[in-house]
Amino acid sequence: MRSVASLGAAHSGTPASCSADEPWTCRIQRSMLVFLHTAHVHIETFSRLVRDVDATIPVRHEVRERLLADALAAGTITDDIRSAVAAVVQALADGGAKVIVCTCSTLGGVAEAVPVSHCVVMRIDRPMAEQAVASGRRILVVAALRSTLQPTGVLLRQIASDAGRSIEVVEVLCGRAWRLFELGDHPGYAGEIAETIEATALPGDVVLLAQASMAPAAERVRHLGIPVLSSSKSGVEAAVSRYRLR
């Protein structure tokens, strides 16, 4: 499903829609910050986060639910999925994106690896992972999708290796949470994640919420007194910084 939504700040004159015979990329204005999502629920969250940092930056959102659905159905990242992600990223870049941010942790590494020369492509969880590695603590990686654990672990170990650090990563799957997300029960989803954290986190841990959708759970476990990192805010701040530098 192809979907482009404009919910962020935009310069005057930005086209609101395309005619039926125009390509979908015509909706992307030059020098835009573009988010690639796999769920529509992220549009409002990331639009707000960008506005909180810099309301003058023009933002667009590309939603491709099928990319994650295909990855979950396959149980792995296939060559077809890599090709599909690459095609979307390349089209967004060709359409004028200045910075592209993939907010899906399962596909973030795939998107980030697409070779585009005229814009920045980044995964939303990289700044969070860098912070977790720098903390020097045991890292509790909490995810609602099994497909997220492997790419997040790879990212953490790659960052640690580059920094010459030794890390301990503990993977925790919230097995029942994702179904609540799919049903639209976001409070229940956050509550399930919070309960899992309470049952598994140790006082010296840093908790890494591996999916952007998990961020609301952080407030529910504040009383534990341990760092709980989510990717949304730190990722947006890094994206805005990259946008300003280009």
Side-chain angles (χ1 to χ4, degrees):
M1 179 175 133
R2 287 177 175 174
S3 171
V4 180
S6 172
L7 291 183
H11 296 316
S12 59
T14 301
S17 62
C18 302
S19 63
D21 58 346
E22 288 179 304
W24 62 278
T25 49
C26 78
R27 301 185 188 185
I28 302 170
Q29 176 182 297
R30 286 286 161 188
S31 299
M32 300 206 74
L33 172 55
V34 180
F35 290 93
L36 173 58
H37 307 296
T38 52
H40 283 84
V41 69
H42 297 313
I43 294 175
E44 181 179 353
T45 297
F46 282 92
S47 293
R48 174 180 52 78
L49 287 170
V50 175
R51 286 196 303 269
D52 289 346
V53 179
D54 188 341
T56 69
I57 294 177
V59 175
R60 287 293 183 271
H61 301 271
E62 176 68 14
V63 180
R64 295 298 185 98
E65 296 173 322
R66 178 51 57 187
L67 293 175
L68 179 58
D70 287 348
L72 294 179
T76 187
I77 304 298
T78 64
D79 289 342
D80 285 346
I81 292 169
R82 291 183 188 278
S83 295
V85 171
V88 174
V89 169
Q90 189 64 60
L92 291 171
D94 291 344
K98 188 174 181 180
V99 175
I100 300 169
V101 184
C102 181
T103 62
C104 176
S105 298
T106 298
L107 301 172
V110 180
E112 198 176 50
V114 177
V116 289
S117 59
H118 46 287
C119 81
V120 171
V121 182
M122 60 172 284
R123 54 192 292 173
I124 193 69
D125 54 353
R126 181 174 289 278
M128 172 185 66
E130 291 172 344
Q131 184 180 351
V133 170
S135 74
R137 297 171 179 244
R138 189 180 82 140
I139 303 170
L140 195 72
V141 178
V142 182
L145 283 173
R146 189 174 297 279
S147 63
T148 300
L149 291 173
Q150 191 270 343
T152 303
V154 169
L155 176 62
L156 287 165
R157 292 179 177 92
Q158 174 242 315
I159 291 170
S161 176
D162 291 345
R165 288 179 171 271
S166 177
I167 60 171
E168 179 184 0
V169 177
V170 178
E171 297 179 347
V172 179
L173 180 66
C174 303
R176 297 182 298 179
W178 189 248
R179 182 56 180 159
L180 296 173
F181 180 83
E182 290 181 318
L183 292 171
D185 182 3
H186 298 141
Y189 175 63
E192 186 72 26
I193 294 162
E195 288 180 12
T196 300
I197 293 170
E198 289 193 38
T200 55
L202 299 177
D205 289 346
V206 57
V207 175
L208 186 151
L209 300 176
Q211 293 161 244
S213 59
M214 305 173 80
E219 287 298 318
R220 295 176 177 244
V221 292
R222 185 179 294 275
H223 63 280
L224 296 178
I226 59 176
V228 179
L229 308 180
S230 60
S231 61
S232 304
K233 189 173 185 292
S234 60
V236 166
E237 289 172 348
V240 169
S241 178
R242 299 290 291 273
Y243 180 93
R244 288 169 172 165
L245 288 173
R246 287 193 63 83

